[in-house]
Amino acid sequence: MTLTIGALRAEPGQKTRGSLPADLGTTTVEVPLILVNGSRPGPRVVITGGVHGGEFIGVDATTRLAGLLEPDEVAGQVVICPVANPPAVYGGRLNISPLDGVNINRVFPGDKDGGPTDRMAAWLFEHLIDGADAYVDLHSGGIDQHLLDFVGYRLTGDDALDAKNRAMAHAVGYELVIFGTSADGGNSHAAANRQGVPAILVETGQLGDRDPATVRRLLDALYRLLHHLGAIEASPTETVCHDHHGAPTPALGQVQPGVTLVRPRRKRHIQSVGHRTSVTRLASLGSRILGTASNVGS
């Protein structure tokens, strides 16, 4: 079956690179895409990086994956978008778009008649995510964010969808697998779930990391996931994973609906080495902190 997204086409056994315009109302941006149409039937897997600016690992890993995947090794279709939010990525802005100050990962699935960021989110859903068999959204800690690697997924109330989400999350191979208790909210993977698409969020690296070893870690994880989904035949390595529920932490504030990273009701501070750091992204695993950040727009 021909893989067609906008003006881009990839016949079976073909890889196509290009970009498509996204009309954001106040401006038009070019969204880079790589379409890998396998030589035999299989799932349609969508992978996005660059949803936020300042998160480089996902951009690098998706670009490398696009170069490495060959159609004769793929069953089904793999759609790769290394830079899903060009205004934020190319504008060098952490979390929010320079066009309107909105965090795209709070407004999915977007609104095609809304502001620039809502339109960007709607474009991604219309052109990439709707109709996918699996969706993977890649993130990393920005220059002010200390994070452990983890995978996030949601419970939706649909047993079959929940099982697919959980299996995808564990297939990544990271030790920490975090689940939220509903698919509410504007995060990409939650919004995908509400449209029946199995989806996960993968966090890899911290502090604006661009280390090739970190990119390799994520690339290996993507290969394990694609193997799990039946898109490639490469044998993955096994890693023991454990699920953790992001429970409310009274001292820090309540968990956002279905989200395992919690936001304090007001700024708190923790003592770091020789300085103070504002904590705005935390998650509780007992007394274990998954991450901290000094920005307020995460």
Side-chain angles (χ1 to χ4, degrees), residues 4-289:
T4 303
I5 299 178
L8 297 180
R9 294 167 55 90
E11 300 296 334
Q14 182 181 10
K15 183 189 324 189
T16 298
R17 297 173 180 269
S19 63
L20 294 177
D23 180 3
L24 306 186
T26 59
T27 188
T28 297
V29 298
E30 293 291 323
V31 183
L33 293 173
I34 303 91
L35 314 183
V36 184
N37 198 354
S39 56
R40 55 195 186 280
R44 178 179 174 182
V45 183
V46 175
I47 305 172
T48 56
V51 162
H52 286 142
E55 300 182 6
F56 306 111
I57 297 299
V59 176
D60 196 346
T62 48
T63 302
R64 292 174 185 270
L65 179 67
L68 291 169
L69 280 182
E70 294 299 335
D72 61 359
E73 301 170 346
V74 172
Q77 302 170 338
V78 181
V79 177
I80 301 172
C81 180
V83 179
N85 188 6
V89 173
Y90 299 143
R93 296 291 294 274
L94 298 178
N95 303 303
I96 62 173
S97 170
L99 299 179
D100 55 11
V102 174
N103 184 339
I104 194 172
N105 214 24
R106 299 294 181 268
V107 300
F108 283 109
D111 178 356
K112 65 181 181 179
D113 297 317
T117 299
D118 268 289
R119 289 176 181 235
M120 187 73 252
W123 189 97
L124 292 169
F125 261 73
E126 178 183 353
H127 290 81
L128 305 185
I129 299 169
D130 285 347
D133 295 302
Y135 171 50
V136 188
D137 189 15
L138 306 179
H139 291 261
S140 60
I143 59 174
D144 62 345
Q145 295 173 331
H146 297 259
L147 291 177
L148 299 178
D149 293 355
F150 70 92
V151 186
Y153 72 97
R154 302 295 186 90
L155 299 180
T156 66
D158 180 323
D159 290 344
L161 181 57
D162 290 350
K164 291 178 180 179
N165 287 342
R166 184 178 188 275
M168 285 175 61
H170 280 266
V172 169
Y174 288 176
E175 180 183 0
L176 294 176
V177 176
I178 316 298
F179 67 91
T181 55
S182 84
D184 294 338
N187 293 122
S188 58
H189 62 300
N193 281 171
R194 294 198 297 275
Q195 298 194 22
V197 178
I200 60 174
L201 172 147
V202 181
E203 290 269 5
T204 311
Q206 60 177 331
L207 296 173
D209 187 3
R210 303 186 192 193
D211 187 340
T214 307
V215 175
R216 181 75 247 180
R217 190 162 72 242
L218 177 55
L219 195 55
D220 288 345
L222 291 173
Y223 271 99
R224 288 191 291 268
L225 179 58
L226 289 172
H227 172 80
H228 161 75
L229 293 169
I232 60 173
E233 294 181 352
S235 298
T237 57
E238 293 186 0
T239 303
V240 176
C241 305
H242 304 282
D243 280 19
H244 301 275
H245 170 222
T249 306
L252 298 175
Q254 298 296 311
V255 177
Q256 298 173 28
V259 182
T260 57
L261 296 179
V262 305
R263 183 181 304 280
R265 296 183 188 277
R266 58 185 181 276
K267 272 190 182 178
R268 297 175 57 87
H269 293 85
I270 61 172
Q271 193 69 33
S272 186
V273 181
H275 63 280
R276 297 175 69 82
T277 304
S278 301
V279 179
T280 58
R281 286 184 69 185
L282 300 171
S284 61
L285 296 179
S287 61
R288 191 173 187 181
I289 294 176

